[in-house]
Amino acid sequence: SNLAENAKQQWLERRGGTGRIQDLTRILYDDSMEPAEIVSRWKGDSKSEDADAMDEDEEEDEDDFFKKAENQDDEEDKTSKKFQDRTLPSYDMDKLHMKWAEDDMLEALRRRFITADLLGEKEE
Amino acid sequence: MTTPVKFTTHANLRHRLVLATLTGTPLHITQIRANSMTPGLTSSEVALLRLLDNITNGSFFEISLAGTTFVYKPGLITANNGKPIHFTIPETCTRGVTYYLEVLALVAPFSKAAFSVTLDGGVITAATEEDMSVDTFRTCYLALFQKFGMERNIDLRIVKRSAGPHGAGEVHFVHGFQTRVARTLHLQTPGRVKRIRGVAYGIARPQIVPADYGKEGALEKAGGNNKGRANGRTRKVGVGFGISLVAETGTGCIYAADATANPAEPAEDVGKRCAYMLLEEIQMGGCVGRTAEMAAMTMMMMGQEGDVGRLVIGKETIDETLISQLRDMKKIIGTEVAMKEAPGEGNVLVSILGRGVGNVGRKLA
């Protein structure tokens, strides 16, 4: 049972997005924030906060008069979902390969399958 | 007429068009790829507008010269009064055919008459980078509508398959289940995966017909280098292969993944890629996979007025696209969704109030 406990712990850790849903509903319809901003703020992602700080630094360095226009070409800016109109989610395949090549991850996911042995575990 | 709702850029364009068509709200969209090297609407987007014009009566479109701005006043969804519609997608369109089919599937239940639409021309039935394959559309997207009580007379026939980037396929979409409002949805138990199924497809075509061999041979005899002259009619179009995987849980929730082979990609890698995507979707959890999530929420808003539908989604599926789409719904329909933690790790319960705006055509009948 210790093993299962560990797997569960790992599972929770790797899921990312520690944000509580109440925090999201409070800012969901706040039009002063862009959707991308909402997500990063909600998830409390330290990485994106750093990125934000960097952006600000850059902007200070730049000339105020010349602002680089936002690029709306889908092909050139794959990282931003802002201008997309797609159905299939975009995946970072390298990350997925790394993630699902690990047995731990597969073992943790086993609980989502009907074949899993849930004896001793409570299921909702 | 009500004042148009204003949007900028081509983001979530289809979803906005669907919402506008369903509720009869005029749209005014500006700055479409205004800073792009290829400004304005793409040919796929223009084709979609033309298709919308075909299935409605009295729609009004006004597209600016550069295509960066347009006004859309939706008409009544009549589907040509039940008569078959034949629509040819220009060959320059690079989006998969499900790009159009998704819009049709969302609009069709609220039509005055039954849908029967044949799409040909630049039809790509395989999955593209952005759009699912027709197989996923059938097994995942259309299956969703059963949960809203729409089961009968809905079918997608794949007449001719084709892969990208330039399609040459043909599909026939039939939707004969017209309703006034969608049934209120209560989907709160994701359950555990009991079955994984899939469709693997391959499209091959003869590269050169024998007659052309003869012609080429003759030209060669006549002297000069004529290699490759025999293209034209026999050019290689729509060749490729891919796989669509669908996982179903004990409670009937569906997750899907799609992969089409990149040039020179071995089949094993395509399969592996698709499997990993499916695992990712299963891990994210919820009662609908990401491919059908927005469709489910949109249909919930079309439910009986005053009834609250409930849907459990995976917390990780909440991204900026979903948030901006929820905001669009508020802007056009005027409903906010409520969210709270649901039992089970990473589950979120979304409650959506039905608006009962439903089917204008049926209301009169």
Side-chain angles (χ1 to χ4, degrees):
Chain A
S1 72
N2 197 24
L3 228 155
E5 199 58 44
N6 284 344
K8 193 178 167 184
Q9 196 54 43
Q10 257 170 349
W11 163 273
L12 283 173
E13 273 171 21
R14 288 186 207 202
R15 293 206 84 171
T18 47
R20 292 181 315 146
I21 207 72
Q22 291 94 311
D23 297 337
L24 175 66
T25 45
R26 222 179 31 245
I27 53 176
L28 185 56
Y29 291 107
D30 184 346
D31 282 331
S32 63
M33 275 187 273
E34 292 285 327
E37 214 180 325
I38 302 254
V39 172
S40 65
R41 182 180 287 210
W42 167 51
K43 293 199 169 165
D45 211 343
S46 57
K47 265 185 244 156
S48 63
E49 265 169 39
D50 287 347
D52 282 349
M54 267 172 53
D55 280 350
E56 273 166 37
D57 288 347
E58 269 172 41
E59 265 166 47
E60 273 168 34
D61 290 342
E62 263 169 6
D63 203 300
D64 275 349
F65 190 73
F66 296 104
K67 280 256 164 72
K68 191 171 178 286
E70 232 168 344
N71 192 355
Q72 297 184 349
D73 284 330
D74 306 322
E75 303 81 31
E76 288 172 36
D77 196 4
K78 283 207 166 130
T79 47
S80 168
K81 292 179 178 174
K82 199 172 163 192
F83 296 121
Q84 288 180 354
D85 183 19
R86 61 187 295 156
T87 308
L88 288 183
S90 50
Y91 300 92
D92 183 342
M93 281 323 292
D94 293 339
K95 242 187 207 167
L96 283 195
H97 273 287
M98 299 262 283
K99 185 174 172 186
W100 294 109
E102 278 181 50
D103 287 342
D104 292 4
M105 283 307 290
L106 290 171
E107 203 52 49
L109 192 69
R110 193 175 289 280
R111 304 174 67 256
R112 291 279 286 120
F113 286 80
I114 209 146
T115 45
D117 182 15
L118 294 173
L119 277 179
E121 272 189 71
K122 271 187 206 152
E123 176 69 6
E124 63 273 358
Chain B
M1 195 152 214
T2 36
T3 47
V5 177
K6 288 195 169 103
F7 287 111
T8 56
T9 79
H10 62 284
N12 305 329
L13 183 74
R14 282 179 303 161
H15 189 237
R16 286 167 180 172
L17 287 171
V18 165
L19 291 175
T21 311
L22 288 174
T23 58
T25 316
L27 285 186
H28 184 197
I29 301 186
T30 54
Q31 294 172 41
I32 300 164
R33 296 192 185 81
N35 300 321
S36 166
M37 295 296 283
T38 49
L41 295 163
T42 63
S43 52
S44 305
E45 284 159 358
V46 173
L48 180 67
L49 294 181
R50 282 184 47 229
L51 181 61
L52 275 175
D53 189 34
N54 269 286
I55 58 169
T56 54
N57 186 16
S59 285
F60 171 81
F61 295 92
E62 196 180 295
I63 306 173
S64 72
L65 219 56
T68 53
T69 303
F70 78 89
V71 176
Y72 168 45
K73 288 177 189 153
L76 215 59
I77 309 160
T78 56
N80 201 14
N81 287 321
K83 291 194 278 292
I85 297 167
H86 183 254
F87 187 78
T88 305
I89 298 167
E91 280 183 18
T92 47
C93 298
T94 50
R95 299 292 298 248
V97 72
T98 51
Y99 176 82
Y100 313 95
L101 289 175
E102 279 171 47
V103 174
L104 292 183
L106 285 172
V107 167
F110 307 103
S111 162
K112 200 170 169 184
F115 260 63
S116 170
V117 182
T118 306
L119 297 173
D120 65 2
V123 166
I124 302 165
T125 62
T128 64
E129 174 66 29
E130 294 152 311
D131 303 294
M132 62 180 133
S133 66
V134 281
D135 303 288
T136 307
F137 181 79
R138 265 167 73 157
T139 49
C140 168
Y141 204 84
L142 282 183
L144 172 81
F145 289 88
Q146 289 178 7
K147 301 195 167 59
F148 291 96
M150 301 166 194
E151 302 183 65
R152 282 172 288 118
N153 305 328
I154 303 174
D155 194 19
L156 177 73
R157 267 171 242 146
I158 301 150
V159 183
K160 205 158 74 185
R161 284 180 182 271
S162 173
H166 296 288
E170 188 178 336
V171 295
H172 184 200
F173 177 65
V174 180
H175 196 303
F177 195 97
Q178 274 64 45
T179 172
R180 216 194 72 67
V181 289
R183 186 198 280 171
T184 310
L185 185 76
H186 296 283
L187 213 54
Q188 304 186 63
T189 329
R192 279 180 283 138
V193 177
K194 68 164 183 189
R195 182 160 67 189
I196 295 179
R197 293 283 150 87
V199 177
Y201 48 85
I203 304 117
R205 239 157 257 216
Q207 294 181 11
I208 265 178
V209 290
D212 285 316
Y213 275 120
K215 194 167 75 189
E216 207 169 2
L219 285 169
E220 214 142 22
K221 257 184 220 157
N225 187 7
N226 290 298
K227 284 263 158 62
R229 192 66 84 75
N231 300 15
R233 201 164 45 84
T234 54
R235 84 202 143 96
K236 239 165 88 177
V237 151
V239 179
F241 63 94
I243 184 169
S244 145
L245 285 178
V246 167
E248 195 187 340
T249 69
T251 50
C253 300
I254 293 170
Y255 310 104
D258 250 313
T260 304
N262 295 322
E265 192 182 11
E268 301 88 70
D269 289 3
V270 180
K272 206 174 190 177
R273 198 150 58 92
C274 194
Y276 284 158
M277 291 178 187
L278 188 68
L279 286 174
E280 185 77 4
E281 290 299 316
I282 293 172
Q283 190 208 36
M284 285 187 169
C287 284
V288 281
R290 280 193 285 178
T291 36
E293 196 170 74
M294 207 57 227
M297 292 193 193
T298 309
M299 291 303 284
M300 285 166 81
M301 284 209 169
M302 297 304 290
Q304 186 75 46
E305 188 162 16
D307 277 6
V308 177
R310 292 181 182 84
L311 174 72
V312 164
I313 63 170
K315 200 186 227 175
E316 271 185 89
T317 64
I318 301 173
D319 58 6
E320 49 180 297
T321 312
L322 186 83
I323 291 176
S324 60
Q325 284 174 330
L326 288 176
R327 287 180 168 190
D328 290 350
M329 287 208 224
K330 187 192 174 190
K331 238 174 150 179
I332 297 176
I333 306 188
T335 331
E336 292 191 1
V337 303
M339 292 185 186
K340 65 176 186 194
E341 306 274 349
E345 296 149 14
N347 281 339
V348 175
L349 177 69
V350 182
S351 313
I352 302 177
L353 184 69
R355 298 293 289 180
V357 275
N359 194 331
V360 189
R362 289 269 141 167
K363 216 181 263 174
L364 299 169

